[in-house]
Amino acid sequence: MASRGKSLIGKVPLVILQLAIAFLVLAPFFWMLSVSLKPANEPFAIPARLWPDNPTLENYILAFRPEFRRYFLNSIIVSGATVLITVPLALLAAYSLTRYQFRILSVFLAAVILAQFFPAGAMIIPIYKMVKAANLLDTYASLIIAYITVTLPVAIWMLRGFLTRVPKTLEEAAAIDGARPLRAFFDIVIPLARPGIVATTVFVLIVTWQEFLFALSFTSTKEMRTLPVGMNDYIGQYGIRYGELMASSVMVSLPVIVIFFFLQRQFVSGLTAGAVKG
Amino acid sequence: MAYGFMLPAAILVAGLMYWPMIDTFRESLYATTFLNPNPTFIGLKTYEQLFGDSTFWQIVRNSIIWTIGVVFLQNVGGFLIALLLNQKLPGQGILRSLILLPWVLPGVVAAILWRFMYDPQLGLINSFFMRLGIVEHGVGWLAEPSTAMAAVIFAAFWKGFPFSTVVFLAALQNVDQEQVEAAKIDGAGSLRRLFDVVIPAIWPVAVVNVLLTTILTFNYFDIIYVLTRGGPLNATAIFPTRIYEVGFGQFKFGEAAAYGSLSVLVLVLFVGLLLLVQRRQVKAA
């Protein structure tokens, strides 16, 4: 570490920088929270007041209206189904990529990684037309299929990083002991790759929870909209009821923030393993 | 068995990613309008029209400014912040967790938050500047064509920098400390050590990071769409927002698809150029 041996005083500028960064990151969150707790009858002063005089939860109660609950439910269904399908599919694909050495598999991996960078904007028109032709507009299925497709490449890539580190010799030992390959997969590979599975799950969840473009294009009725699209609708709808808008923002963000902070360590190592080690 | 494991993923990626990419180009050869929803083949005519349209060139220019702006801030800023977080200081553990907050925040929520931060009357930024006496009246950062682009770039930087920082931080922790110590014994100052040892060591990670953020930023839709819808007067319109507007706002699927195909072309050229510059630099060094 570069700063070893420096006196405490020498560290003061760095601590100030730390505080500046914390401020940059937290100021918008602070503002979101402050406005969400502001009672409707407390007028907006100009320049704006930093913290409400009488903080209240009334905005949260108002914002948690039936349509918001519906958006919430839709988001949970779509994200949940995507995670439940993507992660096992990616696990199987990543497993065969690390355990079998066929040329076609490395071609496949390259193709999958390349696909990860396709602009969603460039694909949206044909995908929309497909969804429409299949009569799937305004359905969960359309979103779930689209989300599985866009999250699969990254999920395969992340899991592959973890599975390469699960030594093959363990499975071979199990095979000698008479275990069938599938059995070795469930009893040895999956438990050892668990941190990777957790990291991938969190990643897929974060991506699908906030996905906007497909949800905006594929859904048109209030019953089928997910949280991000619903939030976008709110901007005009709420007019100057910023308190409710911010309260719903807090409620939308909370689930991912909570999950993320519980599983943070595993997630960060999963994300950086691939990028740093190539 | 290997193929069986791979098959579902292969079918989805081929059918829903590769095929649409090809189909976008086919679609762009047809004209569909709101009044005439049956596609008629018109060949490359849409492209001809676009090349003669100043809006198209504005989109190209905006996309490049937006991408360079965000990628530069995210990577240079992200790296500097990673350097700071890599120092032995109190509270680093908490700070390392905290900085990830913006990245976890859903894009639409981040955009709503920044819409509010930039608000001429109620925004925290104007309130801050007014208290300091820098501005007299609230500035409509997102409503002025001259400031809108900078405003959306900053919001995107805020949302995206944690990713770069985390990756850089991991790379910094992998730097061979013996080399750093050796340079120190040779009398290299901390800046010298940074440029001669640390930066070369993390360079490969930096290249990957820049490429990754370039592609993701170029394709990023949420922040701009929610903050400005591409306005005012197309001042912040980039490929993804334009494609959405033309396709789903005006129902001109052919034109939207042409924008889509061209966005791929621009992105490929852009990334190619980046790789070329990077290779030159490595050779020159």
Side-chain angles (χ1 to χ4, degrees), chain B:
Chain B
M1 194 164 79
Y3 297 112
F5 278 180
M6 194 69 84
L7 207 62
I11 291 172
L12 276 174
V13 171
L16 285 172
M17 299 191 91
Y18 279 86
W19 169 243
M21 282 295 279
I22 301 163
D23 204 36
T24 293
F25 181 69
R26 194 192 58 82
E27 183 81 39
S28 70
L29 306 176
Y30 290 81
T32 19
T33 58
F34 190 61
L35 292 174
N36 179 20
N38 294 323
T40 19
F41 184 82
I42 53 162
L44 294 171
K45 219 168 182 172
T46 309
Y47 290 92
E48 254 172 66
Q49 274 166 12
L50 284 186
F51 289 146
D53 181 357
S54 64
T55 308
F56 170 74
W57 294 108
Q58 196 184 359
I59 305 290
V60 175
R61 215 186 54 219
N62 285 348
S63 294
I64 291 174
I65 295 173
W66 149 262
T67 307
I68 290 179
V70 175
V71 169
F72 179 83
L73 282 180
Q74 252 182 40
N75 284 282
V76 174
F79 176 66
L80 291 176
I81 294 172
L83 274 181
L84 179 70
L85 292 181
N86 198 31
Q87 307 290 318
K88 268 204 182 115
L89 291 170
Q92 290 289 50
I94 299 169
L95 197 56
R96 278 181 203 168
S97 309
L98 277 186
I99 62 147
L100 282 157
L101 271 174
W103 191 74
V104 181
L105 195 69
V108 172
V109 174
I112 289 175
L113 210 50
W114 279 94
R115 240 180 113 110
F116 208 50
M117 293 284 290
Y118 286 131
D119 191 280
Q121 269 92 46
L122 310 167
L124 195 59
I125 293 177
N126 280 314
S127 145
F128 188 66
F129 282 162
M130 283 199 292
R131 263 166 222 264
L132 289 178
I134 295 173
V135 293
E136 218 170 294
H137 302 287
V139 180
W141 304 99
L142 295 168
E144 304 281 340
S146 56
T147 54
M149 183 55 100
V152 294
I153 287 176
F154 190 80
F157 158 68
W158 182 84
K159 169 89 173 83
F161 89 86
F163 178 81
S164 301
T165 298
V166 166
V167 174
F168 278 129
L169 195 58
L172 284 173
Q173 283 163 352
N174 275 359
V175 171
D176 186 359
Q177 285 308 309
E178 273 177 32
Q179 275 185 23
V180 179
E181 287 302 317
K184 208 172 181 177
I185 291 163
D186 288 347
S190 54
L191 215 60
R192 192 65 195 275
R193 290 200 298 273
L194 178 67
F195 280 102
D196 289 356
V197 183
V198 177
I199 290 183
I202 62 143
W203 192 248
V205 175
V207 171
V208 173
N209 224 359
V210 168
L211 281 179
L212 217 68
T213 43
T214 299
I215 295 166
L216 294 176
T217 306
F218 187 88
N219 298 331
Y220 200 35
F221 171 76
D222 310 8
I223 289 259
I224 292 191
Y225 185 77
V226 176
L227 277 175
T228 63
R229 299 276 194 275
L233 301 168
N234 281 333
T236 56
I238 57 168
F239 274 106
T241 62
R242 181 72 184 167
I243 292 166
Y244 186 82
E245 188 200 324
V246 172
F248 296 97
Q250 305 168 6
F251 296 102
K252 292 187 205 157
F253 284 154
E255 194 182 320
Y259 265 111
S261 302
L262 288 169
S263 83
V264 177
L265 186 71
V266 174
L267 180 61
V268 168
L269 287 177
F270 194 66
V271 169
L273 206 69
L274 218 84
L275 285 174
L276 211 70
V277 171
Q278 193 262 331
R279 195 167 290 179
R280 276 269 168 79
Q281 266 183 350
V282 170
K283 264 185 197 158

Side-chain angles (χ1 to χ4, degrees), chain A residues 107-275:
Chain A
V107 173
F108 174 77
L109 181 68
V112 160
I113 289 176
L114 184 68
Q116 197 180 318
F117 300 124
F118 288 175
M123 302 185 293
I124 190 78
I125 301 289
I127 295 184
Y128 173 81
K129 286 199 149 183
M130 276 190 212
V131 170
K132 198 177 173 190
N135 240 335
L136 287 176
L137 284 180
D138 263 325
T139 61
Y140 293 134
S142 65
L143 289 178
I144 294 167
I145 294 169
Y147 292 173
I148 293 169
T149 314
V150 292
T151 52
L152 252 184
V154 202
I156 294 176
W157 180 69
M158 277 177 80
L159 282 170
R160 185 180 152 268
F162 279 95
L163 289 177
T164 344
R165 273 173 271 160
V166 175
K168 215 174 165 178
T169 43
L170 286 178
E171 287 158 72
E172 284 162 1
I176 292 167
D177 288 346
R180 289 160 164 259
L182 216 58
R183 174 109 210 188
F185 178 71
F186 281 111
D187 288 357
I188 296 168
V189 179
I190 289 191
L192 284 174
R194 227 179 71 183
I197 296 172
V198 172
T200 311
T201 304
V202 175
F203 183 85
V204 174
L205 208 61
I206 291 177
V207 170
T208 50
W209 191 255
Q210 62 176 294
E211 201 288 328
F212 184 49
L213 180 60
F214 286 122
L216 186 66
S217 316
F218 295 171
T219 63
S220 55
T221 60
K222 275 210 159 85
E223 285 69 46
M224 294 311 295
R225 304 218 119 168
T226 56
L227 278 172
V229 185
M231 291 295 296
N232 179 57
D233 290 345
Y234 278 166
I235 295 176
Q237 243 167 279
Y238 268 74
I240 53 163
R241 299 206 311 279
Y242 291 107
E244 284 174 55
L245 187 60
M246 289 297 120
S248 24
S249 297
V250 173
M251 291 191 280
V252 171
S253 321
L254 220 52
V256 265
I257 291 178
V258 168
I259 290 176
F260 179 77
F261 274 98
F262 272 111
L263 302 169
Q264 196 203 137
R265 193 160 299 214
Q266 297 186 14
F267 176 69
V268 170
S269 74
L271 202 64
T272 50

